[in-house]
Amino acid sequence: MDYIILDIEFNGRKFASEHPMEVIEIGAVRLDASLRQVDEFTSLIKPVYFSTLNSFIKKKTGIPQEEIDIAPRFPKVISAFRRWLDQSQDGVLLLTWGGEDMKRIIQDTRMHKLDDTYWMTTPYYDLLKGLLRAKGLKNDISVEGALQLLELEPAGSAHRALGDARMTSEIFRALFEELDLDQVKYYEDTFSNARERKTVKIAIKAMRGQKITPTWDLVREHYFDGKVPLDDPRKAEELERYFETEIAKSPAPAVHTERPLRTNQPVRNE
């Protein structure tokens, strides 16, 4: 089996829009079973929406607008990437830094009405989570921060897909003996965002601090209704499951009080 260290760049933006963010660059490094680098893949992608890069993205990535203008579209690039992946005769394990890369690739695959079966059924390993487990860390860190932590010299340009994939591959090599590679994942659709899930945690903590037994109905009423739309039943169900998981992690004695619940944490939808 080969290890594929994957990284993408996408056209993030600072303003709200009904149009999706899209992948604008894919970079990947192939390591064989001995962790020897044997190949690389890189390509820019011309997005359908916002094909003119904003100043934030140009500054962050250094991608020239002229190269985006002549880049192929996503369907052509993802087909070439699949052919490149299929060169691994004994299968692949994708390695990413966090879960955002898989999400963006699948979203763009669906946007272009392409078959997402491969991406939904191919295992991936979140190397960021692997590092946190191996080193006993609680807070996420960047690729650059991980290099510094492991005393590795950065190789390549940060915030370019291939450069980040190269640096991530060095982190993978350095951590390999400490990683539990049985902790692989398969992509699952999510309907809530990180801020909404954090709000659930804040609500549980606030209720317990006020000697009130947390319930999902209270969380929904005081922290979401009128603040974050829960019209999509899939989002509501997902957040309720998340609430139940958080309660199960640290059960507290049941306490009931008639005092009104105070909420001083503003919730904004992203």
Side-chain angles (χ1 to χ4, degrees):
M1 180 179 67
D2 288 342
Y3 300 104
I4 306 296
I5 294 82
L6 168 67
D7 190 81
I8 65 148
E9 300 296 332
F10 57 92
N11 62 338
R13 55 188 183 272
K14 295 182 178 180
F15 52 90
S17 171
E18 62 182 9
H19 297 307
M21 293 184 285
E22 298 173 73
V23 179
I24 58 172
E25 187 175 36
I26 294 177
V29 170
R30 190 197 314 270
L31 305 180
D32 64 16
S34 301
L35 306 186
R36 181 175 59 95
Q37 181 173 327
V38 294
D39 204 358
E40 295 181 338
F41 178 93
T42 182
S43 179
L44 290 171
I45 299 169
K46 184 175 182 178
V48 175
Y49 306 103
F50 309 109
S51 55
T52 299
L53 300 180
N54 63 48
S55 58
F56 171 75
I57 291 298
K58 285 193 286 188
K59 182 177 180 179
K60 176 189 173 188
T61 65
I63 295 174
Q65 181 64 50
E66 296 78 13
E67 294 185 19
I68 284 289
D69 291 341
I70 61 173
R73 297 288 190 184
F74 181 84
K76 184 174 182 179
V77 173
I78 206 67
S79 294
F81 187 41
R82 277 290 316 278
R83 291 193 297 272
W84 183 82
L85 290 169
D86 288 343
Q87 293 173 18
S88 294
Q89 297 180 354
D90 297 324
V92 301
L93 174 62
L94 300 176
L95 292 109
T96 65
W97 195 259
E100 192 68 16
D101 292 355
M102 292 295 290
K103 176 181 177 181
R104 295 294 170 191
I105 284 178
I106 289 170
Q107 286 185 344
D108 278 27
T109 296
R110 292 172 177 174
M111 186 187 80
H112 287 277
K113 296 181 170 32
L114 304 174
D115 186 359
D116 65 3
T117 302
Y118 177 85
W119 303 105
M120 297 294 290
T121 58
T122 297
Y124 78 97
Y125 183 85
D126 184 343
L127 187 56
L128 169 58
K129 299 301 183 189
L131 169 70
L132 299 182
R133 286 191 294 266
K135 299 302 181 183
L137 303 176
K138 294 183 178 180
N139 298 320
D140 290 353
I141 62 174
S142 65
V143 170
E144 296 93 326
L147 290 169
Q148 186 175 11
L149 175 69
L150 299 172
E151 298 182 346
L152 298 172
E153 289 294 328
S157 300
H159 306 304
R160 289 299 301 265
L162 183 56
D164 280 347
R166 286 170 176 166
M167 290 187 284
T168 305
S169 70
E170 293 302 319
I171 295 169
F172 178 58
R173 285 195 186 100
L175 280 175
F176 185 78
E177 297 298 331
E178 302 177 61
L179 298 174
D180 179 6
L181 293 181
D182 289 333
Q183 298 275 350
V184 298
K185 298 182 178 181
Y186 293 87
Y187 181 82
E188 295 182 4
D189 285 307
T190 56
F191 304 98
S192 59
N193 60 41
R195 176 173 294 216
E196 291 160 352
R197 293 188 291 275
K198 184 177 180 181
T199 296
V200 172
K201 286 186 174 183
I202 290 170
I204 293 171
K205 183 177 180 181
M207 289 182 194
R208 286 178 170 168
Q210 297 175 49
K211 307 299 183 184
I212 296 173
T213 301
T215 67
W216 170 244
D217 287 341
L218 282 175
V219 171
R220 180 166 184 158
E221 177 185 355
H222 292 279
Y223 285 82
F224 288 96
D225 286 354
K227 301 169 185 175
V228 175
L230 293 181
D231 299 335
D232 187 337
R234 297 172 300 179
K235 177 188 280 193
E237 290 169 7
E238 184 174 276
L239 287 171
E240 183 173 3
R241 289 196 304 271
Y242 186 77
F243 167 82
E244 292 168 352
T245 300
E246 290 301 307
I247 289 292
K249 282 181 182 178
S250 56
V255 178
H256 180 71
T257 179
E258 296 301 327
R259 76 178 68 181
L261 176 62
R262 301 189 306 274
T263 59
N264 55 10
Q265 295 291 340
V267 182
R268 299 182 180 88
N269 192 25
E270 290 187 328

